[in-house]
Structures are given as C-alpha cells and as structure tokens.
Amino acid sequence: MLENCILLSLFAKENLNRMSEQQLNLYDRLINEPSNDWDIYYWATEAKPTPPEFENDVMAMLREFAKNKKREQRLWQPDLEYLFEPPR
C-alpha cells in the first residue's frame, strides 16, 4: 500500500538510527505481523485504536510522525542510501 510505504519508509529514515534494540524489534514486529496494511495506517493516523499488543513507544512515535506537524511534503519514499550513511 503506497500510503504505508511512504509513511513507514520516511519514519524509518528519521528514526531507525537512534532506536534502541528493543524499539527496533518492536518496529520490526509492527511492520511484519499485522496481516492488513490498512490496520497499521489506521492506527498511525488514529482512525482506529491500536490493539494492546501493538501499543508501545514505537507506535506512539509513529502516530506523532504521522501528524506531520512540520507540514513536510511526503510524496515519495526516500532513497535507501541513508541506510549506508554513518550514524549522526
């Protein structure tokens, strides 16, 4: 689903390099376990409540990111080169 690809890839670019191992595991679980991509989108945008098994600090970070308070244009996924950059 394009909306999730954009949301999750931009979230990952901004946050993965500063997440703890536990947070990375939670993020991995979030993006791999739900069987319906729309669920993740609805939880992130608060259209539906997040089930208790996915309610954690990473989900809270994703919800905050989805609010886009800086009003950034988020029209496409980032290039993957950021994965090979040294941590800031």
Side-chain angles (χ1 to χ4, degrees), residues 5-60:
C5 288
I6 293 171
L7 178 65
L8 294 172
S9 63
L10 290 171
F11 174 80
K13 182 178 181 183
E14 187 170 306
N15 292 285
L16 287 185
N17 65 352
R18 58 180 173 213
M19 284 182 169
S20 68
E21 186 174 346
Q22 179 185 9
Q23 288 173 319
L24 290 171
N25 289 332
L26 291 170
Y27 183 70
D28 182 67
R29 184 171 168 245
L30 174 67
I31 64 173
N32 287 302
E33 283 189 20
S35 61
N36 184 345
D37 282 348
W38 280 107
D39 287 337
I40 298 170
Y41 183 79
Y42 291 144
W43 303 335
T45 59
E46 300 182 82
K48 289 185 178 179
T50 304
E53 62 269 21
F54 292 105
E55 187 57 62
N56 54 57
D57 60 328
V58 173
M59 191 71 231

